[in-house]
């Protein structure tokens, strides 16, 4: 007996399946037609940080999904020989912020390259071939220290802002910047927003202003004054619908803008925005797969109690106006004896991961402890969270890799490997 369901509702039904169930369903001929569209959604949700426009080529999204899934399984069973260790040499100064310029999408000849950008205390921007461990490009010495770095792998572009507020766009091939713009105040945040209308760069400054600029020309699109103080945090939601802005000042309430109103400003009208009733924000993360959900980390009171609050955002069109709402769905405080975290990330929207001293914690957004890891001897100095991995580095020169496992009611983390750099050993030990 064949169930006669049109493709559109069928796509909606199958969009709730996990990857394994979807692959099982795809064996039925009736499902094969819409399956490629579902593979697009799965790829973009799970590996949203990848530049698929460059690595898709002539293959189908289904084949790409299978290829990426196979790679993910290999990482879960990673061995020491699968890692590359490269040490930068020369008088480079102290290396600061870094970001991927290209990964799966940058191909040279027949070989795929991963390129990493980093800035130096020598007032320079560098590009590195990760596999070879070699510098492939460096900028001229800049007049002032480079304070912020952002990249757009889809266009192989890097963006910098220096201490004097000069914003520059680099292709990391030519000596000169593609475009330069000097801002009136010191800049605190850079955020790339890649939309259907093209890429845009958002820059915030010490006066509480947010500038939206075209890429790569750096022409002004809009300017909005969000706060009386500096905008320290600027985050675009995964679906590019929302822009979260906040300062770390205790009197500032975070603001969420509708991205469209910043990209297409109406003359005489303020951009559509909503204040979130939670002050003293110090970090915030959008849920990668629940694109209207954001978790905020805050510190309050004389004891600097640390807490996490999660909001669900909604925008409803009502005639010629749009009504925005933020609904608090969960909140919790950390125990006073726990060392306040510096870094945080989110899983599927129902979990939050953060460090505290040398430990890594996974909580539900309601405050239920799911996991605690003690894989480092000293304080965790940095934390990276994406839809596939969690990576921690410590002041003891060690690195630990975890991977998300989505089986069960809540996703949990699997410890994969631990690397240490011991003494003068030229390679990390297992």
């Amino acid at each position: 007996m064949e169930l006669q369901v049109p493709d559109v509702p069928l796509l909606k039904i199958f969009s709730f399946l996990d990857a394994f169930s979807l692959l099982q369903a795809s064996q039925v001929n009736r499902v094969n037609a819409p399956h490629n569209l579902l593979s697009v959604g799965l790829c973009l949700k799970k590996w949203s940080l990848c530049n698929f426009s460059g690595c898709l080529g002539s293959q189908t999204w289904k084949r790409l999904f299978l290829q990426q899934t196979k790679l993910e399984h290999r990482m879960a069973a990673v061995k020491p020989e699968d890692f590359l260790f490269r040490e930068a040499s020369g008088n480079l100064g102290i290396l600061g912020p870094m970001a991927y310029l290209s990964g799966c999408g940058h191909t040279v000849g027949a070989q795929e390259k991963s390129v990493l950008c980093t800035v130096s205390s020598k007032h320079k921007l560098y590009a590195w071939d990760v596999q070879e461990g070699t510098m492939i490009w460096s900028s001229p010495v800049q007049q002032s220290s480079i304070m912020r770095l952002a990249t757009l792998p889809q266009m192989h572009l890097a963006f910098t802002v220096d201490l004097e507020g000069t914003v520059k766009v680099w292709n990391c091939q030519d000596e000169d910047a593609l475009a330069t713009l000097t801002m009136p105040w010191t800049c605190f945040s850079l955020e790339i927003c890649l939309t259907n209308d093209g890429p845009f760069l958002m820059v915030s400054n010490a006066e509480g202003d947010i500038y939206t600029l075209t890429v790569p020309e750096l022409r002004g699109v809009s300017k909005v004054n969000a706060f009386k103080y500096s905008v320290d945090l600027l985050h675009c939601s995964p679906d590019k619908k929302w822009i979260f802005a906040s300062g770390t000042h205790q009197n500032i309430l975070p603001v969420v803008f509708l991205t469209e109103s910043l990209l297409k400003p109406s003359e005489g009208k303020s951009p559509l925005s909503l204040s979130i009733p939670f002050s003293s924000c110090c970090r915030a993360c959008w849920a990668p797969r629940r694109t209207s959900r954001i978790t905020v980390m805050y510190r309050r009171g004389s004891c600097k109690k640390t807490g996490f609050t999660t909001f669900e955002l909604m925008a409803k069109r009502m005639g010629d106006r749009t009504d925005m709402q933020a609904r608090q769905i969960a909140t919790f405080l950390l125990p006073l004896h726990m060392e306040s975290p510096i870094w945080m990330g989110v899983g599927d929207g129902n979990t939050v991961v953060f460090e505290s001293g040398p430990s890594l914690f996974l909580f539900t957004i309601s405050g239920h402890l799911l996991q605690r890891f003690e894989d480092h001897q000293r304080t965790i100095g940095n934390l990276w969270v994406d839809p596939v991995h969690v990576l921690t580095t410590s002041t003891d020169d060690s690195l630990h890799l975890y991977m998300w496992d989505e089986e069960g009611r809540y996703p949990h983390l699997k410890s994969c490997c631990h690397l240490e750099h011991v003494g003068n050993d030229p390679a990390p030990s297992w």
Side-chain angles (χ1 to χ4, degrees), residues 184-188 204-211 223-231:
W185 300 94
T186 302
C187 299
F188 281 78
S204 66
N205 66 15
E207 292 295 294
D209 299 321
I210 300 174
Y211 292 82
K223 172 192 172 184
V224 58
N225 183 258
F227 312 113
K228 295 180 180 179
Y229 306 94
S230 64
V231 181

Side-chain angles (χ1 to χ4, degrees), residues 180 193 346:
T180 300
C193 189
V346 294

Side-chain angles (χ1 to χ4, degrees), residues 321-380:
R321 70 185 187 91
T322 301
D323 182 37
M324 297 177 61
Q325 297 179 359
R327 180 171 63 93
Q328 180 180 313
I329 59 173
T331 187
F332 71 98
L333 281 171
L334 294 182
L336 285 176
H337 68 268
M338 185 179 288
E339 186 176 337
S340 293
I342 304 296
W343 308 98
M344 66 164 288
V346 294
D348 64 339
N350 290 316
T351 54
V352 56
V353 59
F354 58 88
E355 42 58 56
S356 177
S359 303
L360 182 72
F361 292 89
L362 179 65
F363 275 76
T364 68
I365 56 174
S366 299
H368 175 62
L369 176 62
L370 297 176
Q371 288 177 291
R372 175 175 180 169
F373 297 92
E374 297 182 349
D375 297 303
H376 294 286
Q377 299 298 316
R378 296 184 183 178
T379 300
I380 295 174

Side-chain angles (χ1 to χ4, degrees), residues 396-397 420-429:
D396 60 8
D397 290 332
E420 293 183 356
H421 191 201
V422 182
N424 296 320
D425 190 352
S429 63

